[in-house]
Amino acid sequence: MFKTALITGGNGNLGRLVAQHLEAIGTKVVSFDLPSSEGAHCEPRHAVVLGDMQDQSLLEDTLTAYKPDVVIHLASMLSGSSQANPQLAWEVNATSSIRLMRLCLDRNIGPFFFASTAATYGPDLASPVALNTPQWPENIYGATKVAVERMGVYLKLKQGFDFRCLRFPMVLSPSAPAGAMTAYPSHAIAAAARGDNFTMPVAPSTGMSTLYLNDVTRSIVEICSAPRAALTQHAYNLHSYVFTAQDLVEAIQSRFPEFTCGFTPGSPTDDLILRWPDVFDDRAARADWGWEPHYDFDATVEALVQFAKSQS
Ligand SMILES: NC(=O)c1ccc[n+]([C@@H]2O[C@H](COP(=O)([O-])OP(=O)(O)OC[C@H]3O[C@@H](n4cnc5c(N)ncnc54)[C@H](O)[C@@H]3O)[C@@H](O)[C@H]2O)c1
């Protein structure tokens, strides 16, 4: 197992859980995240570095000081915040990520894990989406992620960089990041637990491929731990289940009968999700490194409801 892991975005939704997984198996975690995220990390860490991904010298100092043997790169602007500031999204998500990969390559650090997204695909794809489907995103978030994927593969092929990448679909989690357009299911369940009504930013029939947070964070540790020779692909798609907004309302109402809900067909979020596929072909991940989701839709809703009740 790894001695020291650097997790960028270590105070984020995924980063905090990945850190817990790694610490539980004896890996020292160094978390790198924005100063504004201070306080988000709740468990002891080997070290916390507060700074911006755009600060090359701080990244260099961090790699030199802690000498990680794995880098899990999760720091990113998400879909909503990228759309609000495309120029900054390019600097943070694309330029800074590529710079970090080069710094790791120079120091012979690997594996290097990159969190990509189903948003790297273009709209109106046939479902299930094959792993080798061309990636032509029409959104800036997806465009920044494709840029890093391409450069990671280039450095892998030309210079032996140990680049590992997963494309996640919608991730359901108890504390959904505010900048994610796909956070509405978690927010709906939290509203139901508070006794509030909710308006889904989508139509009743809208849904997309989904994973629960714990499966996502486990998958990151698993792909980083897999023997390099077993990985036949540069990047893998993951999938667990698909549900619609109407499925979600019924699942919530079976637990909170008073819950009522409106819908927003034709909204920008509805338009975005409607055009995303229901199923991604994850057979390569299953075959190469034993990927298997543990949470189906019911188990996810139950986990989110238990969390929401614990907060209200
Ligand atoms: N949650 C999802 O639905 C989803 C889906 C697909 C891919 N991903 C990817 O997984 C990764 C983690 O996502 P998350 O859900 O934990 O999001 P998150 O917003 O909770 O975490 C991202 C972290 O990155 C940090 N960050 C942002 N800009 C930074 C900068 N300039 N310098 C340093 N740190 C910075 C933020 O402070 C935050 O803590 C991201 O790369 C995201 O694109 C997430």
PDB file of all heavy atoms in Angstrom, residues 9 11-15 32-34 37 51-54 73-78 92 115-117 141 145 168-171 177 182, ligand 1:
ATOM      1  N   GLY A   9      -7.814  18.972  -3.484  1.00  0.00           N
ATOM      2  CA  GLY A   9      -9.257  18.994  -3.204  1.00  0.00           C
ATOM      3  C   GLY A   9      -9.577  18.099  -2.014  1.00  0.00           C
ATOM      4  O   GLY A   9     -10.662  17.540  -1.911  1.00  0.00           O
ATOM      5  N   ASN A  11     -10.237  18.664   0.967  1.00  0.00           N
ATOM      6  CA  ASN A  11     -11.320  19.068   1.869  1.00  0.00           C
ATOM      7  C   ASN A  11     -12.676  18.985   1.189  1.00  0.00           C
ATOM      8  O   ASN A  11     -13.692  19.393   1.758  1.00  0.00           O
ATOM      9  CB  ASN A  11     -11.096  20.508   2.359  1.00  0.00           C
ATOM     10  CG  ASN A  11      -9.936  20.585   3.328  1.00  0.00           C
ATOM     11  OD1 ASN A  11      -9.525  19.560   3.878  1.00  0.00           O
ATOM     12  ND2 ASN A  11      -9.398  21.778   3.525  1.00  0.00           N
ATOM     13  N   GLY A  12     -12.711  18.490  -0.024  1.00  0.00           N
ATOM     14  CA  GLY A  12     -13.970  18.421  -0.777  1.00  0.00           C
ATOM     15  C   GLY A  12     -14.791  17.197  -0.417  1.00  0.00           C
ATOM     16  O   GLY A  12     -14.399  16.375   0.430  1.00  0.00           O
ATOM     17  N   ASN A  13     -15.892  17.095  -1.100  1.00  0.00           N
ATOM     18  CA  ASN A  13     -16.858  16.018  -0.851  1.00  0.00           C
ATOM     19  C   ASN A  13     -16.220  14.641  -1.012  1.00  0.00           C
ATOM     20  O   ASN A  13     -16.293  13.792  -0.120  1.00  0.00           O
ATOM     21  CB  ASN A  13     -17.982  16.221  -1.875  1.00  0.00           C
ATOM     22  CG  ASN A  13     -19.264  15.601  -1.481  1.00  0.00           C
ATOM     23  OD1 ASN A  13     -19.553  15.474  -0.299  1.00  0.00           O
ATOM     24  ND2 ASN A  13     -20.035  15.180  -2.461  1.00  0.00           N
ATOM     25  N   LEU A  14     -15.565  14.414  -2.142  1.00  0.00           N
ATOM     26  CA  LEU A  14     -14.894  13.131  -2.383  1.00  0.00           C
ATOM     27  C   LEU A  14     -13.593  13.049  -1.587  1.00  0.00           C
ATOM     28  O   LEU A  14     -13.258  11.999  -1.032  1.00  0.00           O
ATOM     29  CB  LEU A  14     -14.566  12.962  -3.877  1.00  0.00           C
ATOM     30  CG  LEU A  14     -15.620  12.324  -4.789  1.00  0.00           C
ATOM     31  CD1 LEU A  14     -16.963  13.007  -4.713  1.00  0.00           C
ATOM     32  CD2 LEU A  14     -15.121  12.315  -6.237  1.00  0.00           C
ATOM     33  N   GLY A  15     -12.855  14.163  -1.551  1.00  0.00           N
ATOM     34  CA  GLY A  15     -11.526  14.161  -0.945  1.00  0.00           C
ATOM     35  C   GLY A  15     -11.543  13.741   0.512  1.00  0.00           C
ATOM     36  O   GLY A  15     -10.686  12.968   0.960  1.00  0.00           O
ATOM     37  N   PHE A  32      -4.367  19.027   0.043  1.00  0.00           N
ATOM     38  CA  PHE A  32      -4.100  20.349  -0.548  1.00  0.00           C
ATOM     39  C   PHE A  32      -5.442  20.927  -0.970  1.00  0.00           C
ATOM     40  O   PHE A  32      -6.172  20.299  -1.760  1.00  0.00           O
ATOM     41  CB  PHE A  32      -3.181  20.193  -1.769  1.00  0.00           C
ATOM     42  CG  PHE A  32      -2.733  21.489  -2.389  1.00  0.00           C
ATOM     43  CD1 PHE A  32      -1.446  21.967  -2.161  1.00  0.00           C
ATOM     44  CD2 PHE A  32      -3.587  22.226  -3.190  1.00  0.00           C
ATOM     45  CE1 PHE A  32      -1.020  23.159  -2.738  1.00  0.00           C
ATOM     46  CE2 PHE A  32      -3.175  23.422  -3.774  1.00  0.00           C
ATOM     47  CZ  PHE A  32      -1.881  23.896  -3.540  1.00  0.00           C
ATOM     48  N   ASP A  33      -5.779  22.092  -0.452  1.00  0.00           N
ATOM     49  CA  ASP A  33      -7.076  22.678  -0.835  1.00  0.00           C
ATOM     50  C   ASP A  33      -7.041  24.183  -0.591  1.00  0.00           C
ATOM     51  O   ASP A  33      -6.110  24.704   0.028  1.00  0.00           O
ATOM     52  CB  ASP A  33      -8.224  22.017  -0.039  1.00  0.00           C
ATOM     53  CG  ASP A  33      -9.539  22.037  -0.808  1.00  0.00           C
ATOM     54  OD1 ASP A  33      -9.909  23.108  -1.338  1.00  0.00           O
ATOM     55  OD2 ASP A  33     -10.199  20.993  -0.894  1.00  0.00           O
ATOM     56  N   LEU A  34      -8.048  24.873  -1.064  1.00  0.00           N
ATOM     57  CA  LEU A  34      -8.119  26.322  -0.936  1.00  0.00           C
ATOM     58  C   LEU A  34      -8.202  26.742   0.539  1.00  0.00           C
ATOM     59  O   LEU A  34      -8.829  26.033   1.337  1.00  0.00           O
ATOM     60  CB  LEU A  34      -9.369  26.849  -1.648  1.00  0.00           C
ATOM     61  CG  LEU A  34      -9.346  26.851  -3.176  1.00  0.00           C
ATOM     62  CD1 LEU A  34     -10.739  27.185  -3.706  1.00  0.00           C
ATOM     63  CD2 LEU A  34      -8.304  27.836  -3.697  1.00  0.00           C
ATOM     64  N   SER A  37     -11.495  26.527   2.243  1.00  0.00           N
ATOM     65  CA  SER A  37     -12.069  25.224   2.607  1.00  0.00           C
ATOM     66  C   SER A  37     -11.605  24.781   3.992  1.00  0.00           C
ATOM     67  O   SER A  37     -11.980  23.709   4.452  1.00  0.00           O
ATOM     68  CB  SER A  37     -11.659  24.165   1.581  1.00  0.00           C
ATOM     69  OG  SER A  37     -10.275  23.881   1.706  1.00  0.00           O
ATOM     70  N   GLY A  51      -3.814  26.332  -0.120  1.00  0.00           N
ATOM     71  CA  GLY A  51      -3.322  27.151  -1.226  1.00  0.00           C
ATOM     72  C   GLY A  51      -4.148  26.897  -2.464  1.00  0.00           C
ATOM     73  O   GLY A  51      -5.119  26.141  -2.441  1.00  0.00           O
ATOM     74  N   ASP A  52      -3.717  27.552  -3.553  1.00  0.00           N
ATOM     75  CA  ASP A  52      -4.469  27.482  -4.802  1.00  0.00           C
ATOM     76  C   ASP A  52      -3.723  26.585  -5.796  1.00  0.00           C
ATOM     77  O   ASP A  52      -2.497  26.677  -5.899  1.00  0.00           O
ATOM     78  CB  ASP A  52      -4.605  28.909  -5.368  1.00  0.00           C
ATOM     79  CG  ASP A  52      -5.666  29.003  -6.445  1.00  0.00           C
ATOM     80  OD1 ASP A  52      -5.586  28.240  -7.432  1.00  0.00           O
ATOM     81  OD2 ASP A  52      -6.583  29.825  -6.300  1.00  0.00           O
ATOM     82  N   MET A  53      -4.472  25.788  -6.524  1.00  0.00           N
ATOM     83  CA  MET A  53      -3.875  24.920  -7.559  1.00  0.00           C
ATOM     84  C   MET A  53      -3.087  25.730  -8.587  1.00  0.00           C
ATOM     85  O   MET A  53      -2.233  25.200  -9.284  1.00  0.00           O
ATOM     86  CB  MET A  53      -4.977  24.156  -8.302  1.00  0.00           C
ATOM     87  CG  MET A  53      -5.497  22.928  -7.604  1.00  0.00           C
ATOM     88  SD  MET A  53      -4.235  21.677  -7.367  1.00  0.00           S
ATOM     89  CE  MET A  53      -3.739  21.366  -9.052  1.00  0.00           C
ATOM     90  N   GLN A  54      -3.386  27.018  -8.709  1.00  0.00           N
ATOM     91  CA  GLN A  54      -2.683  27.845  -9.694  1.00  0.00           C
ATOM     92  C   GLN A  54      -1.289  28.251  -9.205  1.00  0.00           C
ATOM     93  O   GLN A  54      -0.518  28.817  -9.977  1.00  0.00           O
ATOM     94  CB  GLN A  54      -3.512  29.092 -10.003  1.00  0.00           C
ATOM     95  CG  GLN A  54      -4.860  28.756 -10.623  1.00  0.00           C
ATOM     96  CD  GLN A  54      -5.755  29.982 -10.705  1.00  0.00           C
ATOM     97  OE1 GLN A  54      -5.776  30.674 -11.716  1.00  0.00           O
ATOM     98  NE2 GLN A  54      -6.497  30.241  -9.643  1.00  0.00           N
ATOM     99  N   HIS A  73      -5.826  13.548  -7.633  1.00  0.00           N
ATOM    100  CA  HIS A  73      -6.106  14.933  -8.009  1.00  0.00           C
ATOM    101  C   HIS A  73      -7.616  15.138  -8.164  1.00  0.00           C
ATOM    102  O   HIS A  73      -8.210  14.778  -9.184  1.00  0.00           O
ATOM    103  CB  HIS A  73      -5.377  15.253  -9.317  1.00  0.00           C
ATOM    104  CG  HIS A  73      -5.634  16.638  -9.816  1.00  0.00           C
ATOM    105  ND1 HIS A  73      -5.719  17.726  -8.973  1.00  0.00           N
ATOM    106  CD2 HIS A  73      -5.847  17.116 -11.074  1.00  0.00           C
ATOM    107  CE1 HIS A  73      -5.974  18.808  -9.689  1.00  0.00           C
ATOM    108  NE2 HIS A  73      -6.057  18.465 -10.959  1.00  0.00           N
ATOM    109  N   LEU A  74      -8.198  15.746  -7.130  1.00  0.00           N
ATOM    110  CA  LEU A  74      -9.654  15.962  -7.114  1.00  0.00           C
ATOM    111  C   LEU A  74     -10.014  17.444  -7.155  1.00  0.00           C
ATOM    112  O   LEU A  74     -11.185  17.774  -7.369  1.00  0.00           O
ATOM    113  CB  LEU A  74     -10.263  15.342  -5.842  1.00  0.00           C
ATOM    114  CG  LEU A  74      -9.979  13.856  -5.603  1.00  0.00           C
ATOM    115  CD1 LEU A  74     -10.571  13.413  -4.262  1.00  0.00           C
ATOM    116  CD2 LEU A  74     -10.550  13.009  -6.728  1.00  0.00           C
ATOM    117  N   ALA A  75      -9.033  18.342  -6.915  1.00  0.00           N
ATOM    118  CA  ALA A  75      -9.347  19.776  -6.894  1.00  0.00           C
ATOM    119  C   ALA A  75      -9.892  20.195  -8.249  1.00  0.00           C
ATOM    120  O   ALA A  75      -9.305  19.891  -9.286  1.00  0.00           O
ATOM    121  CB  ALA A  75      -8.090  20.579  -6.568  1.00  0.00           C
ATOM    122  N   SER A  76     -11.004  20.879  -8.227  1.00  0.00           N
ATOM    123  CA  SER A  76     -11.639  21.251  -9.498  1.00  0.00           C
ATOM    124  C   SER A  76     -12.760  22.229  -9.232  1.00  0.00           C
ATOM    125  O   SER A  76     -13.381  22.195  -8.166  1.00  0.00           O
ATOM    126  CB  SER A  76     -12.232  19.990 -10.144  1.00  0.00           C
ATOM    127  OG  SER A  76     -12.936  20.293 -11.324  1.00  0.00           O
ATOM    128  N   MET A  77     -13.016  23.102 -10.186  1.00  0.00           N
ATOM    129  CA  MET A  77     -14.293  23.808 -10.207  1.00  0.00           C
ATOM    130  C   MET A  77     -15.299  22.840 -10.817  1.00  0.00           C
ATOM    131  O   MET A  77     -14.975  22.105 -11.751  1.00  0.00           O
ATOM    132  CB  MET A  77     -14.168  25.100 -11.007  1.00  0.00           C
ATOM    133  CG  MET A  77     -13.286  26.119 -10.276  1.00  0.00           C
ATOM    134  SD  MET A  77     -12.849  27.558 -11.279  1.00  0.00           S
ATOM    135  CE  MET A  77     -14.461  28.277 -11.644  1.00  0.00           C
ATOM    136  N   LEU A  78     -16.506  22.826 -10.291  1.00  0.00           N
ATOM    137  CA  LEU A  78     -17.507  21.874 -10.777  1.00  0.00           C
ATOM    138  C   LEU A  78     -18.312  22.484 -11.926  1.00  0.00           C
ATOM    139  O   LEU A  78     -18.000  23.578 -12.397  1.00  0.00           O
ATOM    140  CB  LEU A  78     -18.397  21.429  -9.615  1.00  0.00           C
ATOM    141  CG  LEU A  78     -17.649  20.788  -8.432  1.00  0.00           C
ATOM    142  CD1 LEU A  78     -18.632  20.271  -7.388  1.00  0.00           C
ATOM    143  CD2 LEU A  78     -16.717  19.671  -8.884  1.00  0.00           C
ATOM    144  N   VAL A  92      -7.906  26.713 -13.634  1.00  0.00           N
ATOM    145  CA  VAL A  92      -7.863  25.795 -12.477  1.00  0.00           C
ATOM    146  C   VAL A  92      -7.919  24.344 -12.953  1.00  0.00           C
ATOM    147  O   VAL A  92      -7.093  23.500 -12.573  1.00  0.00           O
ATOM    148  CB  VAL A  92      -9.026  26.094 -11.498  1.00  0.00           C
ATOM    149  CG1 VAL A  92      -9.118  25.018 -10.422  1.00  0.00           C
ATOM    150  CG2 VAL A  92      -8.847  27.472 -10.872  1.00  0.00           C
ATOM    151  N   ALA A 115      -9.813  12.699 -11.590  1.00  0.00           N
ATOM    152  CA  ALA A 115     -11.277  12.523 -11.531  1.00  0.00           C
ATOM    153  C   ALA A 115     -11.917  13.209 -12.725  1.00  0.00           C
ATOM    154  O   ALA A 115     -12.038  14.430 -12.759  1.00  0.00           O
ATOM    155  CB  ALA A 115     -11.821  13.113 -10.235  1.00  0.00           C
ATOM    156  N   SER A 116     -12.324  12.416 -13.715  1.00  0.00           N
ATOM    157  CA  SER A 116     -13.008  12.990 -14.873  1.00  0.00           C
ATOM    158  C   SER A 116     -14.522  12.765 -14.722  1.00  0.00           C
ATOM    159  O   SER A 116     -15.004  12.399 -13.643  1.00  0.00           O
ATOM    160  CB  SER A 116     -12.461  12.392 -16.167  1.00  0.00           C
ATOM    161  OG  SER A 116     -12.954  13.111 -17.277  1.00  0.00           O
ATOM    162  N   THR A 117     -15.237  12.956 -15.781  1.00  0.00           N
ATOM    163  CA  THR A 117     -16.689  13.023 -15.661  1.00  0.00           C
ATOM    164  C   THR A 117     -17.387  12.576 -16.944  1.00  0.00           C
ATOM    165  O   THR A 117     -16.831  12.707 -18.044  1.00  0.00           O
ATOM    166  CB  THR A 117     -17.113  14.475 -15.334  1.00  0.00           C
ATOM    167  OG1 THR A 117     -18.508  14.621 -15.571  1.00  0.00           O
ATOM    168  CG2 THR A 117     -16.391  15.489 -16.191  1.00  0.00           C
ATOM    169  N   TYR A 141     -16.941  22.776 -18.444  1.00  0.00           N
ATOM    170  CA  TYR A 141     -16.450  21.828 -17.421  1.00  0.00           C
ATOM    171  C   TYR A 141     -15.932  20.563 -18.104  1.00  0.00           C
ATOM    172  O   TYR A 141     -14.816  20.106 -17.845  1.00  0.00           O
ATOM    173  CB  TYR A 141     -17.618  21.528 -16.473  1.00  0.00           C
ATOM    174  CG  TYR A 141     -17.390  20.446 -15.453  1.00  0.00           C
ATOM    175  CD1 TYR A 141     -16.436  20.577 -14.445  1.00  0.00           C
ATOM    176  CD2 TYR A 141     -18.181  19.287 -15.462  1.00  0.00           C
ATOM    177  CE1 TYR A 141     -16.270  19.585 -13.485  1.00  0.00           C
ATOM    178  CE2 TYR A 141     -18.024  18.296 -14.509  1.00  0.00           C
ATOM    179  CZ  TYR A 141     -17.056  18.447 -13.522  1.00  0.00           C
ATOM    180  OH  TYR A 141     -16.899  17.465 -12.577  1.00  0.00           O
ATOM    181  N   LYS A 145     -11.963  18.957 -18.608  1.00  0.00           N
ATOM    182  CA  LYS A 145     -11.636  17.588 -18.175  1.00  0.00           C
ATOM    183  C   LYS A 145     -11.073  16.764 -19.341  1.00  0.00           C
ATOM    184  O   LYS A 145     -10.167  15.955 -19.153  1.00  0.00           O
ATOM    185  CB  LYS A 145     -12.882  16.918 -17.593  1.00  0.00           C
ATOM    186  CG  LYS A 145     -13.395  17.570 -16.306  1.00  0.00           C
ATOM    187  CD  LYS A 145     -12.577  17.151 -15.101  1.00  0.00           C
ATOM    188  CE  LYS A 145     -13.146  17.674 -13.798  1.00  0.00           C
ATOM    189  NZ  LYS A 145     -12.432  17.192 -12.613  1.00  0.00           N
ATOM    190  N   PHE A 168     -16.807   9.729 -13.802  1.00  0.00           N
ATOM    191  CA  PHE A 168     -17.964   9.499 -12.947  1.00  0.00           C
ATOM    192  C   PHE A 168     -19.212  10.103 -13.580  1.00  0.00           C
ATOM    193  O   PHE A 168     -19.158  11.194 -14.148  1.00  0.00           O
ATOM    194  CB  PHE A 168     -17.761  10.146 -11.575  1.00  0.00           C
ATOM    195  CG  PHE A 168     -16.542   9.645 -10.850  1.00  0.00           C
ATOM    196  CD1 PHE A 168     -15.558  10.525 -10.426  1.00  0.00           C
ATOM    197  CD2 PHE A 168     -16.377   8.297 -10.595  1.00  0.00           C
ATOM    198  CE1 PHE A 168     -14.432  10.072  -9.765  1.00  0.00           C
ATOM    199  CE2 PHE A 168     -15.258   7.823  -9.928  1.00  0.00           C
ATOM    200  CZ  PHE A 168     -14.283   8.714  -9.519  1.00  0.00           C
ATOM    201  N   PRO A 169     -20.353   9.416 -13.429  1.00  0.00           N
ATOM    202  CA  PRO A 169     -21.618  10.045 -13.833  1.00  0.00           C
ATOM    203  C   PRO A 169     -22.104  10.948 -12.704  1.00  0.00           C
ATOM    204  O   PRO A 169     -21.283  11.476 -11.946  1.00  0.00           O
ATOM    205  CB  PRO A 169     -22.521   8.824 -14.019  1.00  0.00           C
ATOM    206  CG  PRO A 169     -21.986   7.799 -13.076  1.00  0.00           C
ATOM    207  CD  PRO A 169     -20.507   8.071 -12.924  1.00  0.00           C
ATOM    208  N   MET A 170     -23.414  11.138 -12.538  1.00  0.00           N
ATOM    209  CA  MET A 170     -23.930  11.886 -11.394  1.00  0.00           C
ATOM    210  C   MET A 170     -23.529  11.142 -10.118  1.00  0.00           C
ATOM    211  O   MET A 170     -23.650   9.924 -10.044  1.00  0.00           O
ATOM    212  CB  MET A 170     -25.445  11.999 -11.467  1.00  0.00           C
ATOM    213  CG  MET A 170     -25.956  12.486 -10.183  1.00  0.00           C
ATOM    214  SD  MET A 170     -27.604  13.155  -9.993  1.00  0.00           S
ATOM    215  CE  MET A 170     -28.585  12.984 -11.360  1.00  0.00           C
ATOM    216  N   VAL A 171     -23.016  11.899  -9.138  1.00  0.00           N
ATOM    217  CA  VAL A 171     -22.648  11.292  -7.855  1.00  0.00           C
ATOM    218  C   VAL A 171     -23.628  11.788  -6.796  1.00  0.00           C
ATOM    219  O   VAL A 171     -23.750  12.995  -6.589  1.00  0.00           O
ATOM    220  CB  VAL A 171     -21.208  11.673  -7.457  1.00  0.00           C
ATOM    221  CG1 VAL A 171     -20.866  11.098  -6.083  1.00  0.00           C
ATOM    222  CG2 VAL A 171     -20.210  11.173  -8.501  1.00  0.00           C
ATOM    223  N   PRO A 177     -21.939  19.112  -3.240  1.00  0.00           N
ATOM    224  CA  PRO A 177     -21.301  20.403  -3.457  1.00  0.00           C
ATOM    225  C   PRO A 177     -22.267  21.401  -4.103  1.00  0.00           C
ATOM    226  O   PRO A 177     -23.026  21.039  -5.007  1.00  0.00           O
ATOM    227  CB  PRO A 177     -20.155  20.091  -4.424  1.00  0.00           C
ATOM    228  CG  PRO A 177     -20.067  18.608  -4.513  1.00  0.00           C
ATOM    229  CD  PRO A 177     -21.343  18.041  -4.006  1.00  0.00           C
ATOM    230  N   THR A 182     -25.928  18.729 -10.486  1.00  0.00           N
ATOM    231  CA  THR A 182     -26.591  17.449 -10.243  1.00  0.00           C
ATOM    232  C   THR A 182     -26.806  17.181  -8.752  1.00  0.00           C
ATOM    233  O   THR A 182     -26.992  16.042  -8.352  1.00  0.00           O
ATOM    234  CB  THR A 182     -25.752  16.325 -10.858  1.00  0.00           C
ATOM    235  OG1 THR A 182     -24.402  16.506 -10.444  1.00  0.00           O
ATOM    236  CG2 THR A 182     -25.812  16.350 -12.364  1.00  0.00           C
TER     237      THR A 182
HETATM  238  N1  LIG B   1     -19.549  15.065  -7.385  1.00  0.00           N
HETATM  239  C1  LIG B   1     -19.797  14.740  -8.650  1.00  0.00           C
HETATM  240  O1  LIG B   1     -20.956  14.612  -9.065  1.00  0.00           O
HETATM  241  C2  LIG B   1     -18.643  14.487  -9.612  1.00  0.00           C
HETATM  242  C3  LIG B   1     -18.910  13.855 -10.802  1.00  0.00           C
HETATM  243  C4  LIG B   1     -17.888  13.655 -11.697  1.00  0.00           C
HETATM  244  C5  LIG B   1     -16.609  14.091 -11.385  1.00  0.00           C
HETATM  245  N2  LIG B   1     -16.353  14.718 -10.204  1.00  0.00           N
HETATM  246  C6  LIG B   1     -14.999  15.205  -9.946  1.00  0.00           C
HETATM  247  O2  LIG B   1     -14.528  14.714  -8.701  1.00  0.00           O
HETATM  248  C7  LIG B   1     -13.672  15.679  -8.105  1.00  0.00           C
HETATM  249  C8  LIG B   1     -14.109  15.968  -6.682  1.00  0.00           C
HETATM  250  O3  LIG B   1     -15.438  16.453  -6.718  1.00  0.00           O
HETATM  251  P1  LIG B   1     -16.248  16.757  -5.390  1.00  0.00           P
HETATM  252  O4  LIG B   1     -17.617  16.267  -5.612  1.00  0.00           O
HETATM  253  O5  LIG B   1     -15.492  16.289  -4.212  1.00  0.00           O
HETATM  254  O6  LIG B   1     -16.276  18.365  -5.438  1.00  0.00           O
HETATM  255  P2  LIG B   1     -15.981  19.414  -4.271  1.00  0.00           P
HETATM  256  O7  LIG B   1     -16.339  20.761  -4.812  1.00  0.00           O
HETATM  257  O8  LIG B   1     -16.611  18.983  -2.996  1.00  0.00           O
HETATM  258  O9  LIG B   1     -14.401  19.300  -4.101  1.00  0.00           O
HETATM  259  C9  LIG B   1     -13.504  19.956  -4.945  1.00  0.00           C
HETATM  260  C10 LIG B   1     -12.456  20.605  -4.066  1.00  0.00           C
HETATM  261  O10 LIG B   1     -11.551  21.294  -4.917  1.00  0.00           O
HETATM  262  C11 LIG B   1     -11.171  22.475  -4.247  1.00  0.00           C
HETATM  263  N3  LIG B   1     -10.708  23.479  -5.198  1.00  0.00           N
HETATM  264  C12 LIG B   1     -11.432  24.135  -6.135  1.00  0.00           C
HETATM  265  N4  LIG B   1     -10.661  25.032  -6.778  1.00  0.00           N
HETATM  266  C13 LIG B   1      -9.417  24.920  -6.239  1.00  0.00           C
HETATM  267  C14 LIG B   1      -8.196  25.594  -6.461  1.00  0.00           C
HETATM  268  N5  LIG B   1      -8.090  26.569  -7.374  1.00  0.00           N
HETATM  269  N6  LIG B   1      -7.123  25.235  -5.726  1.00  0.00           N
HETATM  270  C15 LIG B   1      -7.208  24.272  -4.766  1.00  0.00           C
HETATM  271  N7  LIG B   1      -8.353  23.594  -4.512  1.00  0.00           N
HETATM  272  C16 LIG B   1      -9.436  23.937  -5.233  1.00  0.00           C
HETATM  273  C17 LIG B   1     -12.445  22.944  -3.539  1.00  0.00           C
HETATM  274  O11 LIG B   1     -12.147  23.832  -2.457  1.00  0.00           O
HETATM  275  C18 LIG B   1     -13.046  21.633  -3.080  1.00  0.00           C
HETATM  276  O12 LIG B   1     -12.689  21.314  -1.746  1.00  0.00           O
HETATM  277  C19 LIG B   1     -13.675  16.891  -9.020  1.00  0.00           C
HETATM  278  O13 LIG B   1     -12.539  16.844  -9.850  1.00  0.00           O
HETATM  279  C20 LIG B   1     -14.926  16.709  -9.841  1.00  0.00           C
HETATM  280  O14 LIG B   1     -14.813  17.318 -11.098  1.00  0.00           O
HETATM  281  C21 LIG B   1     -17.340  14.912  -9.293  1.00  0.00           C
END
